Amino acid sequence: MSQILPLLSLYYLCDLAAAERWMNKEEVDRCMANYNELKLEFIDETPAPLGTPERAAQNLLGYRGLKAWEAANPELVEELRAEARLRLRHRP
């Protein structure tokens, strides 16, 4: 679990940043790479090659796993979102 906490932290930071302001290409690329890596944390098999139907199915499975995890851990989700809000407010 502790290995996905940094992925989750960045995921919520990206989510809030995208809702509040324009993000540059580097930020978008980093956020998308993080999101893809996060979804893979919720599958049990080796990731299929990008662009394949198998990978698309894994992405959906990973997304569903993430959403199920969020539903099972609402307090931690809120804590991570609150930390992301603070970080966003204190960015130069």
Side-chain angles (χ1 to χ4, degrees):
M1 169 54 135
S2 61
Q3 65 268 21
I4 72 165
L5 286 179
L7 296 171
L8 287 163
S9 293
L10 182 55
Y11 170 71
Y12 294 120
L13 182 65
C14 290
D15 185 53
L16 291 170
E20 291 186 9
R21 65 174 176 78
W22 181 84
M23 294 171 62
N24 65 39
K25 182 182 179 342
E26 292 79 21
E27 290 172 319
V28 171
D29 289 347
R30 182 173 181 217
C31 288
M32 290 305 300
N34 182 76
Y35 180 53
N36 286 324
E37 188 176 342
L38 178 59
K39 288 185 292 183
L40 293 177
E41 289 292 321
F42 292 93
I43 65 169
D44 293 326
E45 63 237 19
T46 302
L50 288 172
T52 63
E54 294 82 8
R55 182 62 173 262
Q58 288 174 333
N59 282 338
L60 181 57
L61 184 63
Y63 171 80
R64 288 179 178 160
L66 170 60
K67 292 302 166 184
W69 180 89
E70 286 179 323
N73 296 281
E75 297 87 13
L76 183 53
V77 169
E78 184 48 42
E79 181 182 323
L80 292 169
R81 285 187 179 280
E83 289 173 10
R85 280 190 291 277
L86 283 173
R87 286 179 62 193
L88 225 81
R89 268 190 238 136
H90 294 102
R91 286 186 94 161

